[in-house]
Amino acid sequence: MWYTQGTIAALVLVAGALSFVGLSRGRHMLGVRAETLIALTSAMPVVVAAWASLVVASAPSSAPCPTWMAALEHAPACDVMSMVLAAPVLAAFLWQKRGLAPANPGLTGACLGAAAAAWAHLVVHAICPYGHAAHALVGHALPMLPLMGLGAWIGRRVL
């Protein structure tokens, strides 16, 4: 029970922080400082990977996976589900912020991509029955990287 509540609280905190920073204008009219965006966006995958490695390995699971290979067999389904859930969230974030990040559009897009991935990770984690660290890393945390890249790429063009 502690694992579920802790994971939900951690993901809501991380996703909320990324969403707030990515969508805010910061203290200046040019947007949030590059250092803040870099620190927050680069810390996100590390925090989620560390949580998955340390906590998921000790958590109860409704579908235990005895080996790494068994855990990785189910990871592509969670990868796809994360991408499908995060895509409309990322699109909404970018639409909301369009034209409002003149100084760091790529970094802002990456931050919004990380936020969308974190919200999707929260939903996928809630419905995923597998509790192996390898599955959490590959199936839940790994989709954050392409979403951050997509956010940065689109952000350079839209923001």
Side-chain angles (χ1 to χ4, degrees):
M1 186 63 135
W2 67 270
Y3 158 74
T4 304
Q5 293 169 344
T7 300
I8 290 170
L11 286 172
V12 167
L13 181 68
V14 168
L18 285 165
S19 299
F20 178 77
V21 169
L23 292 173
S24 70
R25 72 175 182 99
R27 293 184 170 188
H28 311 288
M29 292 302 292
L30 294 176
V32 178
R33 295 179 53 193
E35 295 83 12
T36 304
L37 291 169
I38 290 170
L40 202 58
T41 304
S42 60
M44 164 60 173
V46 174
V47 167
V48 172
W51 184 271
S53 297
L54 298 174
V55 177
V56 173
S58 64
S61 174
S62 59
C65 299
T67 65
W68 277 66
M69 292 309 293
L72 294 177
E73 285 178 16
H74 305 287
C78 288
D79 283 337
V80 170
M81 194 178 337
S82 293
M83 298 284 200
V84 167
L85 290 172
V89 176
L90 177 58
F93 283 164
L94 291 170
W95 180 262
Q96 171 91 21
K97 190 75 173 176
R98 71 188 184 285
L100 298 176
N104 302 306
L107 290 173
T108 302
C111 183
L112 293 173
W119 289 116
H121 177 69
L122 178 65
V123 174
V124 170
H125 183 77
I127 60 176
C128 179
Y130 302 104
H132 197 278
H135 175 79
L137 287 172
V138 175
H140 298 197
L142 189 63
M144 293 176 188
L145 300 177
L147 285 164
M148 288 168 49
L150 180 65
W153 183 71
I154 295 173
R156 286 189 195 109
R157 284 145 183 80
V158 174
L159 305 180

